[in-house]
Amino acid sequence: MSTNNLFYINIAVLNKDEVIQSQVSGRVGGPKLFGKLAGKAANAMISDDKFTSALAAKLATKVSEKIAEIGVSLDIRKRFQQGSFFVLSAQLTDVDPGLLLQRAKGEEFATKFQQLLSLLTELELNEAHERAQAQIKEKAKSALMTKLEEILPTTLEEQGKVKVSVCFF
């Protein structure tokens, strides 16, 4: 596997206590005294490490599944965690150029590009075919990094009220 298709996602959870307080209060009857006490107790019992570990595992699975829908296979693994900070590695393992280009540029463009790749193979221009495939992967990786940096914080906040800081390398 080529390492140039590898990137890292650094995520810092900014509001673990608020998230747990909100979830517990919602389950036990709102922000009244009992809800607040239950939230404080839950926060004391659930460490930053435990919360962050669960978030990292869920995030790795969900992102991989969502990205697969556009024709890109990612192998995402947690590589490091300390407190409410964690690092995920994302290895771009496969790209379905037809599906990816169909989503990005439309059906006609995707069909013509697939024809071009077929012609390169038929003409035994393997080096050109490999270069085209490598460029597709590199562009997919770059676009993914940009898009994930944009949507991860927003999506996590909308769906789970989790505020995060995200950066890539």
Side-chain angles (χ1 to χ4, degrees), residues 17 71-72 76 85-86 93 103 122 138:
D17 291 346
V72 177
I76 301 178
F85 173 77
F86 63 100
T93 57
R103 296 267 187 143
E122 286 178 35
E138 187 55 40

Side-chain angles (χ1 to χ4, degrees), residues 2 4-5 95 97 113 116-122 124-139:
S2 175
N4 65 346
N5 293 318
V95 175
F113 191 81
L116 173 65
L117 289 178
S118 294
L119 282 171
L120 291 174
T121 301
E122 286 178 35
E124 297 180 4
L125 298 171
N126 297 334
E127 191 176 306
H129 186 272
E130 288 172 12
R131 260 196 331 264
Q133 293 283 52
Q135 286 179 340
I136 290 170
K137 277 188 173 181
E138 187 55 40
K139 286 186 183 223

